[in-house]
Amino acid sequence: MLRTVLRRLLVVVPMLWGIATLAFCLVNLIPGSPARTILGDGATAEQVAALDRKMGYDRPLADQYWTWLSHVLRGDFGTSLLTSRPTTADVGARLPITLSVVAGAVLLTVVVGVAVGVLSAIGGRRLDRAGQSVLSFFMAVPSFWLGVLLVFLLSIRLGWLPATGYVPFAHSPGRWLASIALPCLSVAAVGIATVARQTRGAMLDVLTKDYIRTLRAAGVSNRSLIFRHALRNASIPIVTSVGFQFIGLLGSTVIVEQVFALNGLGALTLSAVNGKDFPVVLTVVLFTTTIVLAANLLVDVANAWLNPKARRA
Amino acid sequence: MSVGVNTETVAAAGPGRHRRPGDKGTGRARGVLRRPGTWLSLAWITVVVLGSLFASVLAPHDPLDQDLRSIYQGPSGTYWLGTDSLGRDVLSRLMHGGALSLLGSGEAVLVALLIGIPFGLLAGYRGGWADAVISRIAEALMALPVIIILLAVVAVYGRGFAVSMGALGVIFSAAIIRLVRATTAAVRSELYVDAARVSGLRAPRIVVRHVLPNVIAPVLIQSSLTLGTALLIQSGLGFLGLGPQPPAPNWGAGIAEAATAINQDAWLMVPTGGVLVLTVLAFNFLGDALRDAAPAGRGAAATGRFFGHRALPADSDAAEPADDGVLLRVRGLVVSFPEDGGGDQPVVDGVGFDVRPGETVGLVGESGCGKTVTALSVLGLVPGAGHVAEGRILFDGADLARMPEKRLAAYRGKRIGYIAQEPMTALDPCFTIGSQLVEPLRRHRGLDRARARARAVELLGLVGIPRPEQICRAYPHQLSGGMAQRAAIALALTGEPDLLIADEPTTALDVTVQAEILDLLRSLQAELGMAMILVTHDLGVVADICDRAVVMYAGQVVEEGTVDQIFTAALHPYTRALLRSTPEREATAGPLPAIEGTVPLPRDWPAGCRFAARCAYATEACSAAPVPMLVRDPAPGGPRAARCIRADSWKAVDHERAAGAV
C-alpha cells in the first residue's frame, strides 16, 4: 500500500514540476514583453521598461525561472499586481468556497451516480431505457445553463434556496449547505450522468461473470450478489471514472461560480485574467494542478486498495 | 460540463477483436443505421453546420441589427426565435455564432487528431522508451485542470477562441494518444501483422496498411464525443465573456446574455441553451451509435434478466409419482432463447432423464449440444434471456420449472450444488476464499461467523487442500487452477447438497490435475452420498466415474444406458463415433478419427434425424420424420434407449463390417 503511494509520488512530483515549468513558460514567453501585455498598448515605453525591471522580466529567462522556482519551493508564489498582496493569500481566501462546491459535487456524483447506475443495470428493460435517455440528456447540458435555470426556478420563482452568495461553514452550517446546494447540483449533473453510465456498464459486465453464477448457484442471495459482489467488482472502473470527472467538476465550478456570484477561485481567476495579473494566474494554475494530481493519487491508491491483485503485489 | 476523457469509450474501443483488411462487420452497422436517433442526429448536425456556415446568406436578419422598439419579443413570424435585450434576432445570432462555435470545436478536435494519431501510433508500434515518454506526457496532459489552463491561455493571448481552442486540442490529444496507442499495440501483436513484418514489409507500410484501418473506427468515435465536449468547454469560455469581442455573437455569450435578462424574458434561455444541448447531444449520440456499430464495440448489452428464472405457469396435471426413488426426473425439457427477428428458438428440445440418489449420471456430447444449458436449467440459471419453455424438472417431487424464483433460490446450494468449468473465473476475485465460503455457510446452516469460518476450514480440508487456514485467507488469484477448483467444489458443498451438478469440472485443468479432481469427486460422493450430474465431452471421464450416461446431440438425448452398455454396445452412430474419437488409456497407433462435420446450429436442425448429415449409415428413412427414442429395456435402474431407427440392427451391421474388413 505504502509502496503504491510512494511509487505514484515519484511520478506525480516530476509531473507537477513539468506543469509548473510549462505554465511559467506560457506566461513568460509571450511574444513581446509581459509588461507590454499587462499594461496594454496605451502605456509608454518608459512605463513598460519600469514594470519589466520591477517584475524582473528584463533578466534572462533562465535566471527568472530559477528565481521563480526557488521562491515557489519556499512557498512564495509572488505578489498580485492588482491587490499587491501575496497571491497565496488571495488564493487561500477563495479556495474554501470553490472546494466546498467541488466536494459537494463529488459527493453527489458518487452517491447519486452509483445509485442510478445500479438501478439502471438491475431495474428491468423499461426503466433502463428511460434512464439512458435522461442520462444522455444530462451529459449534454452545460452546467452554467442548468445553473441559471435552477436559480430561476428554485430561487427566484419558488424562493426555496438563496440565489447567490456564500455563507462560510463556521458561520452557519445550515446556511452554508443552502448556499452551495444549487451550485453543487448544477455542477454535478454531468458527473452524475457519466458515473451512472459507467456504473451501469460495469455492473452489466460483472453480472455476466462466471463467479456471479457460481455464487448464485451456491445460494448467495441476490442482494448480496448485487451490492456485495457485483458492486465491489465494478468499483474499480467506477472510481476511475469519478477521478476523471473530478477535473470536469473543478472546471465547471470555476464557471458556475459566476452564475451564483460566488467569490471563489473562478471569480479570482477571471479578474486576474481580465486584469493580466500573471502572478495570480500562475498561482491558481499551480494550486489547481496540485489538487487534481492529489485527487488522481487518491484514485490510484483507492484502486490499488480495491484490487486484491494490486494490493499484495 | 464534462471535461477530460470519456474512459468508457477508450476501454470499449481499445483492444478487442480487430478488423483485418477485407472483412466487413456490416450486420451490426446496418442495425445502427436503422435507429431513428442516428438519422435525427445526423440531420440536426447537418442543419446546424449548413445554417452556421451559410449564415450570411440564410440568416433572416443581420445579427447586429438592433431594434429597440421590439426587445424581448417571443417567437413570431418575423423573429422565429424572438429577440434579445437590444431587439436583435435570436435565430440570426445563433446562426452566426454557430460558425464560430463549430469552427472552434473543430479546431480543437483537429489539433488533437494531428498530435494524437502520429504519437499514438509511434508509442503503440515502437513501444520501449518512445512509449514510456509519450505515455507519461499524455498522462500529465490528462491531469491538467482544463478550464484553468484555458483561462491562463486567454490571460496571455487575449480573448477569442483561436488560441484557446488550439490549446484545448493539445490537452485533448492525450485521450487520442492513449486510444491509438492501445489499439495499435493490440493490433501489432496480431499474427497477420507479424506475418507482414516477417515478409519484409517496412514499418510505415505496415502501419498504413494494417494498423491504421483498425485505428480509424475508435478514433472516429472518440472524435465525435470530443467535439461535443469541446463545444461545451468553448461555450463555458464564451459564457465567462472570454470569447471574441461583443457584439459579435457566440453561443456561450448568448446564454450569458439570456441569463442576465431572465427576469424580463425567461424564453431567451430556451433557444440559446437548446441549440447547444441538442448539438452536443447529437455528437454524443453519433459517437455512441458508431461505437455500437464498430466491430470491436460491445453493442447493447442484454439487461433486466439478472433476476432470471421465468417460472412456467402451474398446471393441473398431477406430477408423476415421485416415490419410485428418483431424485431428479427431467421430462420433455425445452429451453428456448429469443431470436433477433423475434420468436423463440429452442436449443434444448424435449430432453428427459432420471438421476437416482447417490448415482452419477454423465451428460455427454460435443460443444453446442445443449448439455450445459440442460444442466443450468435444473438450477434455474439459464444464461441471458433463455428460459425453460416446456417440460418438467421434478426434484424430490417438486417441479422446479414451475417454482417461483424465491422458492427455487432456496434449492440452490442447499439441495443442488454446482461446479463450473473454469475454476479461475468461478470465484469472486475481490473476496477471500474464506469469506466466499462463509456467506453461504451462514445462510444454509445458520452458523454464526466464527463457526462458519471453522466449517469453511473443515470443508477446504475435506476437498484436499493443504494448509486450509492459510488458503481460507487467500484470494482466488493466489491459487493454482487445481486448488481453485477444489475451493470451488468446497463452495458447492457448503449446503451439503443431495445433487451436485459439475459442468466440465476438469476441462480447464492440467491432465495430471484432472485425475486428482475426478478422484476427489468420487471419494466425496462415496463419503457424502450425493447424486451427481457430470457434464462432459470426454467419454474417458464418463468411463472413469459415471454409473450411467445420457448422450446428447443437437438439443436431444440420442442414447441412454449404463456406462457398460454405452461402452460395449452403443446403439447410436453418434455415440459410436464419439467412442472411436476417444483416446484409449493405452495409446493406440495412428491418428484418432474425428467426427466429420459440426453440430448443426439450432435454427438448422433438420426435421428428421439430426445426426443424419454426419452419419455414415444414414438412409432416406432417417431424414423423413422425427426419430423417437426407442426404448430397448425399461430397466428400473434407468432405461436403455436410443434415438436411431436402426438401433436394433447394429449387431448385423457390425458383422457385415467385420466380414468386409477381413
Side-chain angles (χ1 to χ4, degrees), chain B residues 108-430:
Chain B
V109 172
L110 197 69
V111 169
L113 292 179
L114 286 178
I115 299 175
I117 293 179
F119 282 104
L121 285 172
L122 184 67
Y125 195 81
R126 275 266 167 265
W129 65 268
D131 182 24
V133 171
I134 293 172
S135 294
R136 272 289 124 72
I137 292 175
E139 201 183 329
L141 283 177
M142 290 180 90
L144 287 177
V146 182
I147 298 284
I148 298 282
I149 298 290
L150 293 186
L151 289 179
V153 169
V154 172
V156 174
Y157 292 95
R159 293 145 162 262
F161 291 140
V163 180
S164 54
M165 286 298 110
L168 184 62
V170 174
I171 297 175
F172 276 173
S173 72
I176 305 284
I177 287 177
R178 278 172 60 131
L179 182 61
V180 173
R181 178 195 166 276
T183 316
T184 308
V187 174
R188 191 184 185 279
S189 58
E190 296 263 329
L191 283 176
Y192 63 94
V193 175
D194 278 341
R197 212 170 12 238
V198 170
S199 70
L201 269 189
R202 312 257 315 250
R205 291 278 316 259
I206 295 177
V207 167
V208 170
R209 273 182 53 184
H210 296 287
V211 180
L212 262 184
N214 285 298
V215 167
I216 285 172
V219 163
L220 214 63
I221 298 164
Q222 184 69 30
S223 299
S224 189
L225 298 172
T226 308
L227 261 173
T229 310
L231 210 51
L232 283 175
I233 291 180
Q234 185 194 36
S235 317
L237 293 181
F239 181 81
L240 291 178
L242 301 177
Q245 285 291 345
N250 73 73
W251 286 359
I255 295 178
E257 285 164 20
T260 50
I262 197 161
N263 286 322
Q264 286 82 38
D265 184 11
W267 157 256
L268 270 179
M269 284 298 288
V270 177
T272 52
V275 68
L276 181 58
V277 172
L278 285 178
T279 310
V280 175
L281 205 58
F283 280 128
N284 286 353
F285 198 95
L286 221 53
D288 288 347
L290 283 169
R291 171 167 51 198
D292 289 349
R298 67 186 144 191
T303 65
R305 289 286 301 152
F306 174 67
F307 293 104
H309 183 61
R310 201 193 296 168
L312 286 176
D315 55 7
S316 48
D317 282 10
E320 289 178 51
D323 50 56
D324 54 355
V326 172
L327 178 66
L328 175 73
R329 166 159 290 168
V330 177
R331 282 293 176 272
L333 177 70
V334 177
V335 183
S336 298
F337 283 75
E339 288 240 281
D340 280 348
D344 278 357
Q345 173 65 57
V347 301
V348 169
D349 193 9
V351 163
F353 59 91
D354 291 345
V355 180
R356 285 166 186 74
E359 178 185 50
T360 302
V361 174
L363 219 51
V364 198
E366 291 166 278
S367 317
C369 285
K371 312 176 303 268
T372 296
V373 172
T374 302
L376 288 174
S377 65
V378 173
L379 287 154
L381 292 180
V382 180
H387 58 276
V388 173
E390 275 175 53
R392 297 181 177 287
I393 303 171
L394 297 167
F395 181 82
D396 216 0
D399 192 348
L400 303 183
R402 285 173 181 69
M403 200 173 270
E405 167 68 23
K406 262 235 162 71
R407 277 179 56 209
L408 179 59
Y411 280 74
R412 292 190 195 121
K414 178 104 180 89
R415 306 285 318 268
I416 309 175
Y418 170 74
I419 304 170
Q421 175 173 354
E422 179 53 74
M424 297 312 277
T425 58
L427 295 166
D428 188 335
C430 285

Side-chain angles (χ1 to χ4, degrees), chain A residues 8 11 15 19 26-27 29-31 37 120-122 124-125 128 136-137 139-145 148-149 152 156 187 190 194 197-198 200-201 204 207 209-222 224-226 228-230 232-233 240-241 244-245 247-252 254-255 258-259 265-266 269-270 272-274 276 278 281 284-285 288-289 292-293 296 306 308-309 311-312, chain B residues 1-3 5-8 136 139-140 142-149 151-159 178 232 235-237 239-240 242 252 255 259 262-263 266 269-270 272-274 276-277 280-281 284 288 291 298 301-308 376 379 381 383 405 409 412-414 416-418 420 422 425-431 435-436 439-440 443-444 473 475 477-478 491 494 503:
Chain A
R8 290 304 302 170
V11 178
M15 209 182 261
I19 292 169
L26 181 75
V27 170
L29 286 179
I30 309 178
T37 313
S120 200
I122 63 168
R125 192 154 300 198
D128 184 42
S136 314
F137 175 74
M139 282 177 77
V141 168
S143 52
F144 47 93
W145 185 65
V148 174
L149 290 183
F152 182 65
I156 298 175
V187 168
V190 173
T194 314
R197 259 177 76 135
Q198 186 75 43
R200 170 184 175 274
L204 285 179
L207 286 175
K209 294 278 194 230
D210 283 357
Y211 52 80
I212 294 294
R213 188 165 68 197
T214 20
L215 288 170
R216 226 175 148 195
V220 172
S221 69
N222 277 337
S224 166
L225 282 177
I226 292 166
R228 208 165 114 91
H229 294 280
R232 177 70 173 69
N233 276 280
T240 308
S241 151
F244 278 115
Q245 284 309 303
I247 298 176
L249 292 177
L250 187 70
S252 301
V254 164
I255 297 176
Q258 302 312 302
V259 174
L265 219 48
T269 316
L270 203 59
V273 166
N274 286 324
K276 307 280 180 201
F278 290 147
V281 171
V284 172
V285 168
T288 46
T289 305
V292 169
L293 285 175
N296 284 0
L306 283 170
K309 287 182 203 171
R311 202 186 313 169
R312 303 224 165 167
Chain B
M1 156 181 351
S2 158
V3 183
V5 191
N6 190 328
T7 45
E8 234 182 314
R136 272 289 124 72
E139 201 183 329
M142 290 180 90
L144 287 177
V146 182
I147 298 284
I148 298 282
I149 298 290
L151 289 179
V153 169
V154 172
V156 174
Y157 292 95
R159 293 145 162 262
R178 278 172 60 131
L232 283 175
S235 317
L237 293 181
F239 181 81
L240 291 178
L242 301 177
I255 295 178
I262 197 161
N263 286 322
M269 284 298 288
V270 177
T272 52
L276 181 58
V277 172
V280 175
L281 205 58
N284 286 353
D288 288 347
R291 171 167 51 198
R298 67 186 144 191
T303 65
R305 289 286 301 152
F306 174 67
F307 293 104
L376 288 174
L379 287 154
L381 292 180
E405 167 68 23
R412 292 190 195 121
K414 178 104 180 89
I416 309 175
Y418 170 74
E422 179 53 74
T425 58
L427 295 166
D428 188 335
C430 285
F431 290 83
S435 77
Q436 294 188 57
E439 209 178 331
R443 197 172 151 96
H444 296 315
R473 284 190 302 272
Y475 286 92
H477 72 272
Q478 297 166 317
L491 179 66
T494 48
D503 186 0

